[in-house]
Amino acid sequence: MYPVHFGLDILSTSLGLFLICLAILFFRHRNQWKLPPGPAWIPLVGNIRELTSDPDLRIPLKRLQKKYGDIYTLYIGPVPTIVVCGYDAIREIFIKRGIEFSDRPALGLPGIILNGGKGITTVSGDIWKKQRKFIIATLRHFGLGRSKLEDKIQTEVKLFLSEIENLNQEPFKMMKPIQTSVGNVISHLVFGGHFRHNDPRFKLMMDSLESFLQFASTRSLVSFIPILRFVPGDFFGIKNIAKQMQVIKDFMNELIEEHEKKFHEGNIADFIDAFISEMKKQSNGENTMFTKEYLAAIIMDLFLAGTETTSTTITWASFYLATRPDIQSRIFAEIKANVGTEQLPSMQDKQSLVYTEAFIMEVLRMSNIAIFSSPHAPEADVWIRGFHIPKGMQIMPDINSVLSDPSIWGDPENFRPERFVSEEGTLLKPEEFIPFFTGRRNCLGESLARMELFLFISALVQRFELMPPEGETLEIKDVDGIFGVTHAPKPFFIRAISRHAKEMN
Ligand code: HEM
């Protein structure tokens, strides 16, 4: 008994002291800074109660915006966070004053486990500027936004279509095959090659990526309360996730070593080669970001940022196609009239496939996969609309508040691709359409993602008719509402009926 009591005394005293320190910090914050208003919070867990008050995260966020206005303070665990809602506030802060708000806040636990702050997505200041410039220039060199890359994507589209064909109309979940396909598009750019859909090494790496993303989700308890990592044992799965991250790091390091062995300055074939070349040029410089550690972290970021996002969007698209046969028929009719059914749609066809592109935009708007974008931080102390916010404080743009704003879209709750088509039949591109966010730190892979979405989705509709499994119905209430790193649909089954086989019967 005694040792237990002793242990509890120490624990309760430490906890008490910790809470007092937090309270002091809070009142110092309030006095020192003039933070925007927000709901009362509980030390350590912050506003977790408000954020989890509805399984659909968008509902409490709307409630908070209504009560506290377009800029309010929310405690995510113990971390004070400024939430920015509505297009006007987002434009004012992230576009007009973008230079001041392009940093990232200090790393949370997922970032520490992921790359210790060395990848592109988590860095700030000068390192971020140099890295972003290098990555964009190098990816462009290897075809980003050009026909060179289109050929590589089409290779993956064909493999994806034959995977679906091989299912012989059996019900399947879209996420797995599409994840491998878009992961392979990144592989082409980064490693200069791709992996078979059943390659065990690639599969292990992709599964580990998925586990990491689930762990890093905004709703995982340790993301809210990083101090929980010190709880003995592995109740929160942190050791397990660190092990999975090691699998990914080993995979990346093996590929980097293979590239180093074959490296030839006259034959720079992919992103890794280009980075190694720069590493050699800068090997004498101090504080260089061209090191093997940075390279591994950047590649990991490109996989993480480029795979889950695109595959989740295509999975949402397959849901809307399967549940809205009227829309699916209209897309197919457009493809049939403008491209035919023999050759796959290409980027050249995009201009004539206005309704197909409008459908993709509506999927991006409705599914709204990056609800909180990524956190930003001011590079110095700043004033916004009369509030005084310290350097480095976490600032979250609420993208959903823009993509579902009735004053912009009229009927945001309805899935209606026509909203992106003008009376003259041309594609409308409203500036408030910001699924890739906006400003200086917007999505670095937007042009790649939009190319992939167009080529995969148009080919899917050209070759297959998607529908729910036989005798079953599928509705938005069945799939809506997993708010992890992305807003993903709950797993669901669909069937793909080959249009060619249907015609032959
Ligand atoms: C439908 C697909 C995608 C969506 C909706 C999406 C959305 C986003 C959003 C909202 C951000 C945060 C921007 C910010 O911090 O302000 C972001 C950042 C980023 N995205 Fe994407 N993304 C997609 C696909 C891709 C792809 C294919 C790549 C591959 C290269 C990629 C690479 C990145 C990177 C590297 C960043 C961090 C940029 C930085 O910190 O400077 N994304 N994306």
Side-chain angles (χ1 to χ4, degrees):
M1 290 293 285
Y2 180 76
V4 175
H5 266 117
F6 182 67
L8 276 179
D9 279 350
I10 290 185
L11 193 69
S12 47
T13 312
S14 318
L15 194 64
L17 282 173
F18 181 70
L19 293 181
I20 291 167
C21 289
L22 272 184
I24 292 170
L25 270 177
F26 168 70
F27 286 112
R28 277 189 56 198
H29 261 147
R30 288 269 151 179
N31 291 340
Q32 194 177 354
W33 313 108
K34 194 166 173 289
L35 299 184
W41 56 286
I42 303 169
L44 214 59
V45 293
N47 293 116
I48 195 167
R49 202 167 41 99
E50 281 79 3
L51 284 172
T52 52
S53 62
D54 192 291
D56 185 338
L57 180 62
R58 291 167 294 188
I59 292 179
L61 290 180
K62 277 212 180 305
R63 228 180 270 142
L64 288 163
Q65 180 188 5
K66 199 166 170 210
K67 184 157 182 195
Y68 297 104
D70 283 347
I71 302 180
Y72 62 88
T73 308
L74 193 69
Y75 277 74
I76 301 192
V79 183
T81 300
I82 310 301
V83 182
V84 181
C85 313
Y87 190 66
D88 283 350
I90 283 181
R91 185 179 46 198
E92 178 186 330
I93 294 170
F94 298 101
I95 302 180
K96 288 194 184 151
R97 297 175 61 184
I99 294 178
E100 295 167 75
F101 293 91
S102 293
D103 275 6
R104 295 283 192 220
L107 286 182
L109 184 58
I112 295 169
I113 293 179
L114 173 63
N115 56 25
K118 289 202 165 68
I120 168 78
T121 50
T122 48
V123 287
S124 296
D126 224 30
I127 292 188
W128 167 69
K129 281 180 206 142
K130 284 187 186 143
Q131 272 193 14
R132 191 166 161 120
K133 199 169 155 204
F134 176 82
I135 295 171
I136 291 177
T138 309
L139 293 183
R140 274 206 191 122
H141 178 77
F142 291 112
L144 196 66
R146 284 190 278 130
S147 60
K148 219 158 125 191
L149 184 62
E150 184 177 351
D151 293 344
K152 305 265 163 53
I153 301 177
Q154 291 290 30
T155 305
E156 297 311 319
V157 169
K158 285 177 198 150
L159 286 170
F160 167 73
L161 295 175
S162 68
E163 286 283 314
I164 307 280
E165 187 81 59
N166 290 341
L167 293 167
N168 279 326
Q169 309 191 6
E170 285 300 314
F172 71 103
K173 290 182 195 158
M174 178 61 79
M175 198 62 181
K176 271 283 164 224
I178 195 64
Q179 236 173 7
T180 311
S181 299
V182 297
N184 262 330
V185 172
I186 305 279
S187 296
H188 280 292
L189 278 169
V190 172
F191 310 135
H194 73 154
F195 298 86
R196 278 177 293 113
H197 273 234
N198 55 1
D199 182 301
R201 211 166 52 132
F202 191 56
K203 199 170 165 303
L204 188 67
M205 196 274 292
M206 294 298 286
D207 287 347
S208 301
L209 272 185
E210 206 181 330
S211 307
F212 174 78
L213 288 166
Q214 273 164 17
F215 164 81
S217 99
T218 44
R219 291 223 154 177
S220 117
L221 205 57
V222 264
S223 294
F224 274 125
I225 314 168
I227 202 170
L228 292 178
R229 77 180 123 146
F230 297 116
V231 171
D234 198 22
F235 187 73
F236 296 102
I238 297 162
K239 292 197 179 94
N240 176 43
I241 211 69
K243 233 191 270 168
Q244 309 248 26
M245 285 317 290
Q246 200 51 50
V247 171
I248 305 176
K249 284 178 190 164
D250 290 347
F251 179 86
M252 303 297 173
N253 285 329
E254 264 174 47
L255 285 158
I256 294 173
E257 273 166 32
E258 281 167 23
H259 275 72
E260 274 183 314
K261 277 186 204 143
K262 288 190 289 189
F263 180 77
H264 188 280
E265 195 60 66
N267 182 23
I268 305 294
D270 54 41
F271 184 84
I272 298 186
D273 281 344
F275 201 97
I276 294 175
S277 165
E278 202 60 36
M279 256 162 64
K280 290 189 185 294
K281 280 181 211 148
Q282 302 210 11
S283 58
N284 296 330
E286 278 180 23
N287 299 327
T288 173
M289 47 145 276
F290 288 94
T291 64
K292 251 200 260 187
E293 266 186 314
Y294 268 105
L295 172 56
I298 291 172
I299 301 173
M300 228 156 23
D301 270 4
L302 293 176
F303 265 97
L304 276 166
T307 305
E308 173 82 2
T309 44
T310 315
S311 46
T312 301
T313 308
I314 296 176
T315 304
W316 273 116
S318 70
F319 167 80
Y320 285 110
L321 289 167
T323 53
R324 291 292 304 269
D326 53 329
I327 292 177
Q328 190 176 179
S329 304
R330 193 165 162 192
I331 297 173
F332 178 64
E334 185 181 66
I335 295 172
K336 199 172 170 193
N338 290 283
V339 186
T341 52
E342 292 306 313
Q343 63 196 39
L344 290 173
S346 72
M347 290 309 285
Q348 270 196 338
D349 299 315
K350 195 170 158 175
Q351 270 196 329
S352 55
L353 301 184
V354 172
Y355 187 75
T356 308
E357 189 56 15
F359 166 77
I360 293 169
M361 289 171 78
E362 184 67 342
V363 171
L364 282 162
R365 189 192 68 80
M366 276 294 268
S367 61
N368 191 2
I369 62 154
I371 287 201
F372 262 151
S373 187
S374 280
H376 287 234
E379 58 175 14
D381 297 354
V382 282
W383 287 89
I384 315 173
R385 294 189 178 180
F387 303 116
H388 193 197
I389 292 164
K391 168 184 161 73
M393 181 169 272
Q394 178 154 283
I395 306 199
M396 300 275 225
D398 176 354
I399 295 189
N400 184 58
S401 66
V402 180
L403 295 184
S404 67
D405 183 344
S407 71
I408 300 169
W409 309 102
D411 60 344
E413 67 288 356
N414 294 330
F415 188 87
R416 209 169 49 78
E418 297 77 17
R419 73 176 78 250
F420 292 109
V421 184
S422 73
E423 279 177 11
E424 296 74 38
T426 54
L427 196 68
L428 295 170
K429 295 173 189 161
E431 62 167 311
E432 297 91 347
F433 178 69
I434 53 164
F436 297 93
F437 203 51
T438 182
R440 288 162 56 92
R441 199 142 193 175
N442 68 342
C443 175
L444 182 151
E446 176 171 350
S447 64
L448 169 61
R450 293 191 79 150
M451 210 167 168
E452 289 181 280
L453 294 176
F454 176 76
L455 294 174
F456 276 97
I457 293 172
S458 59
L460 192 62
V461 178
Q462 185 194 47
R463 296 294 154 97
F464 299 99
E465 191 179 342
L466 300 186
M467 54 181 74
E470 212 159 4
E472 288 182 28
T473 54
L474 197 55
E475 288 176 47
I476 191 76
K477 68 175 170 40
D478 304 322
V479 302
D480 207 4
I482 300 186
F483 293 89
V485 167
T486 56
H487 168 221
K490 289 183 195 139
F492 64 93
F493 283 95
I494 48 167
R495 276 188 310 151
I497 313 296
S498 160
R499 292 188 191 271
H500 182 64
K502 210 173 158 190
E503 259 175 37
M504 303 291 279
N505 285 332

